[in-house]
Amino acid sequence: MFELAEQGFSSLFEQLIACIISIRTLDEVTLPAARRLFERARTPDEIGRLSVEEVDTLIRESSFHERKAPQIKAIAQRIVDEFEEKLPCDREVLLSFAGVGPKCANLALGIACGEPFISVDIHVHRVANRWGYVSASTPERTLAALEAELPLRYWVEINRLLVPFGKHVCTGNLPRCSACPILEMCEQVGVTAHR
Ligand code: SF4
């Protein structure tokens, strides 16, 4: 999402749609799929004019694309019908769309609206708990714990930093502790084996 924003796809609508495309999907797949869709249509009105089949074809490499395509079209149409094409920076509105959960709502609001929301995916959850910075059993509880502990200025930034860190260094299985730059500061909670 941060990379797409840097490439100019920084509206709240684009960020929200890109996040839906990214769900359960690798970045290497998400980025070209989102770009392909936005090259064809990037406003609620433009996407609302596409058929579900056209949206589905454009995002076909994304996991669960057949479920995401009608959700994306429905979101676009609702924004046209209810909000005169201008999606408001309102968390409750975002969460009212089918297919949008707290992770995507918070990330899109953080990047597109500059609003301080923490987006906790499985990587942020795993890393923050291994550090010992929080102790929470689910991403939802990690979110609440981070909201209590983390200084506000890092609320958006933490996702941009910890998602790639969790994918490439503090991996789910056999984290690369021997090459980790913050080994001395980490409590390695729950780490029983590592590289
Ligand atoms: S030391 Fe290991 S467990 Fe701790 S952050 Fe680094 S890779 Fe993750």
Side-chain angles (χ1 to χ4, degrees):
M1 300 314 98
F2 290 92
E3 191 173 328
L4 284 169
E6 287 165 6
Q7 293 168 353
F9 304 109
S10 58
S11 73
L12 180 57
F13 176 68
E14 289 165 332
Q15 284 290 309
L16 189 67
I17 298 305
C19 193
I20 292 171
I21 294 171
S22 80
I23 294 170
R24 309 286 289 246
T25 304
L26 295 171
D27 283 353
E28 307 86 272
V29 174
T30 296
L31 295 175
R35 281 194 214 101
R36 192 181 314 117
L37 174 63
F38 295 151
E39 279 167 11
R40 177 77 184 278
R42 59 187 294 184
T43 67
D45 182 53
E46 289 169 349
I47 290 184
R49 289 172 190 270
L50 299 178
S51 67
V52 170
E53 291 72 26
E54 287 174 307
V55 176
D56 187 41
T57 299
L58 289 163
I59 65 166
R60 63 186 175 278
E61 279 104 11
S62 169
S63 303
F64 307 113
H65 56 88
E66 67 286 348
R67 189 188 311 162
K68 294 173 180 176
Q71 291 172 341
I72 290 170
K73 180 171 167 71
I75 290 171
Q77 286 184 320
R78 228 185 104 195
I79 296 170
V80 171
D81 294 342
E82 292 183 28
F83 303 104
E84 297 178 341
E85 284 200 62
K86 181 69 181 150
L87 181 58
C89 291
D90 184 325
R91 191 169 186 270
E92 295 309 312
V93 170
L94 268 53
L95 290 174
S96 73
F97 294 128
V100 177
K103 187 189 79 152
C104 279
N106 287 4
L107 191 57
L109 287 168
I111 296 174
C113 303
E115 295 194 1
F117 286 110
I118 302 172
S119 178
V120 176
D121 73 347
I122 196 67
H123 301 289
V124 175
H125 169 62
R126 181 177 64 250
V127 175
N129 278 275
R130 279 183 177 162
W131 283 352
Y133 190 70
V134 299
S135 178
S137 56
T138 65
E140 292 73 24
R141 290 178 181 171
T142 290
L143 171 60
L146 287 172
E147 286 173 343
E149 286 292 325
L150 189 68
L152 198 64
R153 63 184 180 278
Y154 299 124
W155 279 28
V156 176
E157 186 77 353
I158 189 172
N159 183 279
R160 189 177 72 82
L161 294 172
L162 293 199
V163 171
F165 184 74
K167 285 181 179 176
H168 303 296
V169 181
C170 195
T171 49
N173 292 319
L174 297 175
R176 299 176 188 277
C177 297
S178 61
C180 180
I182 57 164
L183 173 60
E184 290 182 5
M185 292 180 275
C186 178
E187 295 182 12
Q188 295 176 289
V189 175
V191 176
T192 54
H194 61 79
R195 288 174 277 181

